[in-house]
Amino acid sequence: MRLKTLELNGFKSFSQKTVLSFESPVICVVGPNGSGKSNVVEAIRFVLGEQSMKSMRGKAGTDLIWKGSKNLPKGSRASVSIYFDNGDKVFKMINDGGENIDLNFSTISISREVYPDGVNKYILNGSEVRLKDINNLLASVNIGSSGHHIISQGEADRILNASPKDRKEMIEDALGLKIYQYKIKESTRKLERTEENMKEVTMLRRENAPHLNFLRKQVEKFEKTKELQNNLLSLYREYLKRESVYLEKEKKDLNNEKHKITTELKDITPKISDNENDNSIQGNKKIEELKIVEQKLSEIRNLKGEMSRKLGRIEGMIESEERRLAKEIEISIFSPEEVKGLVAEINSSIDDAILKNDLEEIRPILKRIKEILNHFDKNKNQIEKDKNSLEISKLKNTQNELLQEIKILENKEKEMEIEIQRFKNEINKEMEALRDKEREKFSFKVRHQELSSALNLINVKEQNLGREIEAFENEIKEGSVLIGGDILSYKEFVFEGTIDRNIQEEQRRKIERIKIKLEDAGGNNGFEIKKEFDAVVERDNFLAKELLDLEKSIVSLQELLSSLKDKIDSEFKEGIKKINVEFQEFFSVMFGGGAGSLSVVVENKKKKKAEDEEEDMEDEEIVFEQGIEINVSLPHKKVKELHALSGGERSLTSIALLFAMSQVNPPPFLVLDETDAALDEANSRKYGDMIEKLSKRSQLVVVTHNRETMSRAGVLYGVTIGADGASKLLSVKFDEAVSIAK
């Protein structure tokens, strides 16, 4: 990698596009004072991302734009571009994850533009980028932001005047450790973001927990409801199927029986004489009485069925009320803490009684113990009393009443059946007593009455059956509200055996009890709650996984930071050793002997307190900061401290140190702005020798007035000021200049 060209356009005194080519390891920029030589150095600072206007002899970005003259208009912007040969692909970018990315460009171009409004633009190979990206890119080739690779006029001893801490940063930059610093900075920033994200995720989970617990309880309630619905559906499938089969059979049987009776009535009616036999009067009365009894039997059976259904519902309500009371009792019973408190108070009172010998003093204590025990017993009795609540008592009374009424109806049903059979027997006896002819007439009459009574009974049964069918349909509607459309699955249910109405009534009671439980449980919107619960659980699981990933990321970043710090520490210590070797060599050359070295020192610094913290000196934290001290020993002198050096000695020391730093981890180029101005002829030759040595590892851009320094350059760039006030550039190879001079 090498520096190829530098382009200036509208930058300070360079009003027009000006190009410098770096075809030689050493180029010199020469010219009279005020011609714009130092503007070339400042252009390099500018394009490499320098932010200090002071270092570029300006106050604002607008000071860098060509101001104009009588002959040339004012510039609309200032731009500088620098081009590097990247054939060896040494340039790398650091992404936000701290990873190095190779740039597959044969030439790397970096441009910077500044506009009258102060806006800066950074362009990398034609694409606008951030200053951060430029700094990361340059750090990958050991061009750091400390400016150790650019030594301007009057700044040669900057490293000597710097604090130990700042001096350490400059040396880290020169050692190429800036790339690790950027990685540490990015990793630290990412760690902070990760920790902040972790706090946010933890807070989100904490905020989500109450709602999740609420939904979990609702889902548990829904699951319980769902279980009840499944049980109800199971009961419904068999009950409704059997009931539908029963109703269909009853309807069919009644139709057949009605048709049969109607047909027989049509046949027998003509056979009945108009004149009724007096002897049949009694039989007619008995037939009418038989009809009445059969009607009452039908009514009793219907009433019994209705009461059975009411009984099932009452039993369900009793179970619900008992569950509610059980919960209340659980709440009202003394908690373990309350019992412990009562026991502690009783024990304390007993202890006080034991300590006192006076009976009069013991009596109040015993009275207090009695009050506590009475309170406990009273509360206990109250709890037992509450178990038999008025509501449950009423329901149980209603239950008992219904059971008694059902029992009474069952007894009446048996009595009616016996009465009907008695009427039939008496009618048969009367028929036997009649003469044959009269018996025949009477038998037709009796048969007609029987058929008429049977037909009326069938009509009643049809009405009852209609009500049962209506109740069946209502049952389906009511059931669909509780368990949905699945209730219609009863149609596919298959059963074996006969239909026992007593079993049906028992099933009916069970259904009513479960319906009561479902009404108490509620939860008709359970599916929506389950859906919301699943969504919240999924989000909580996602947050938990994200939290785990963040924890892993934090551990990984902490390990990376630790590794980077160890690497910086290790390479810094090794770099100091190498710099000391080179520093000693350059120092001996410059001074003809003596010694120069760097040493690591530790300074104690008090950490600044936050504004809201109290001024307490004892609580101030002491921070240990590393720094670099420069140690010198001049030949034939006792001077060992920097402040005791003369101006020339300080210049030679700083040059020796800067050159030593550049040799350990050489930057692609060094810019020297009149660093040789204070050197005499003898030291100029030594300076020139060192330049030649440095040029073997780095390109050199030297601004100088020194003839000896010029002689070491391959190309000379002469800078002049034209009549229009703008700087102009003239390039000449040194060999050609020498031949022209001869």
Side-chain angles (χ1 to χ4, degrees), residues 202 219 235 249 263 311 332 336 367 408 429 445 605 705:
T202 302
V219 168
L235 288 173
K249 184 177 180 302
T263 302
L311 180 62
S332 62
K367 185 178 179 182
I408 292 171
K429 286 180 180 180
K445 181 68 173 181
K605 299 285 187 180
H705 291 287

Side-chain angles (χ1 to χ4, degrees), residues 297 409-419:
L297 179 60
L409 289 174
E410 286 177 349
N411 292 333
K412 286 184 177 180
E413 184 181 13
K414 290 178 181 179
E415 290 176 359
M416 291 290 181
E417 289 174 349
I418 294 172
E419 187 74 10

Side-chain angles (χ1 to χ4, degrees), residues 213-395:
N213 291 333
F214 169 76
L215 290 176
R216 183 177 286 108
K217 291 179 180 178
Q218 293 300 310
V219 168
E220 290 174 355
K221 185 177 179 181
F222 168 69
E223 294 295 341
K224 186 177 179 181
T225 302
K226 189 66 179 174
E227 184 181 354
L228 289 172
Q229 288 176 331
N230 291 335
N231 293 339
L232 183 61
L233 177 61
S234 179
L235 288 173
Y236 259 139
R237 280 170 57 86
E238 183 176 356
Y239 172 79
L240 292 176
K241 182 66 176 181
R242 289 180 178 273
E243 195 71 9
S244 65
V245 171
Y246 166 77
L247 293 174
E248 188 65 31
K249 184 177 180 302
E250 282 291 298
K251 185 178 181 180
K252 185 178 179 180
D253 291 345
L254 284 176
N255 287 336
N256 290 337
E257 191 175 352
K258 187 176 183 179
H259 177 72
K260 184 179 177 181
I261 291 172
T262 304
T263 302
E264 191 175 351
L265 276 172
K266 287 181 180 179
D267 292 340
I268 203 171
T269 299
K271 297 177 182 180
I272 299 174
S273 175
D274 294 334
N275 298 320
E276 295 182 355
N277 194 299
D278 293 337
N279 294 327
S280 66
I281 295 175
Q282 189 66 25
N284 291 339
K285 289 182 179 180
K286 292 188 181 294
I287 291 171
E288 290 296 325
E289 290 177 359
L290 176 62
K291 180 180 176 182
I292 293 170
V293 173
E294 287 177 340
Q295 180 69 29
K296 288 183 178 180
L297 179 60
S298 177
E299 293 175 356
I300 288 171
R301 286 174 175 171
N302 291 335
L303 184 59
K304 178 186 168 186
E306 184 64 28
M307 286 187 177
S308 294
R309 286 189 286 272
K310 286 183 180 180
L311 180 62
R313 190 162 186 83
I314 291 294
E315 288 173 347
M317 293 171 67
I318 290 172
E319 289 182 9
S320 175
E321 188 67 19
E322 286 177 343
R323 286 196 302 272
R324 184 187 65 79
L325 276 178
K327 290 181 180 179
E328 292 181 358
I329 291 170
E330 287 178 2
I331 297 171
S332 62
I333 293 176
F334 285 102
S335 66
E337 289 76 14
E338 290 174 319
V339 174
K340 286 181 181 179
L342 292 172
V343 172
E345 188 176 352
I346 291 172
N347 287 334
S348 177
S349 300
I350 292 172
D351 292 339
D352 290 342
I354 293 171
L355 293 173
K356 299 182 184 293
N357 294 322
D358 191 352
L359 182 60
E360 294 300 321
E361 294 184 3
I362 293 175
R363 281 178 178 168
I365 297 172
L366 294 175
K367 185 178 179 182
R368 177 56 184 158
I369 293 173
K370 185 177 179 182
E371 289 175 353
I372 295 169
L373 293 175
N374 286 338
H375 174 72
F376 185 86
D377 188 59
K378 183 179 178 181
N379 199 6
K380 183 180 177 182
N381 291 334
Q382 184 62 40
I383 291 170
E384 294 296 327
K385 185 178 178 180
D386 290 342
K387 289 182 181 179
N388 301 316
S389 75
L390 182 61
E391 186 64 27
I392 290 180
S393 296
K394 288 181 178 178
L395 290 172

Side-chain angles (χ1 to χ4, degrees), residues 503-515:
I503 295 177
Q504 280 293 89
E505 283 299 323
E506 183 62 31
Q507 287 285 90
R508 176 65 193 170
R509 291 185 185 182
K510 291 180 180 178
I511 288 172
E512 289 296 331
R513 287 196 291 268
I514 294 178
K515 285 165 67 175

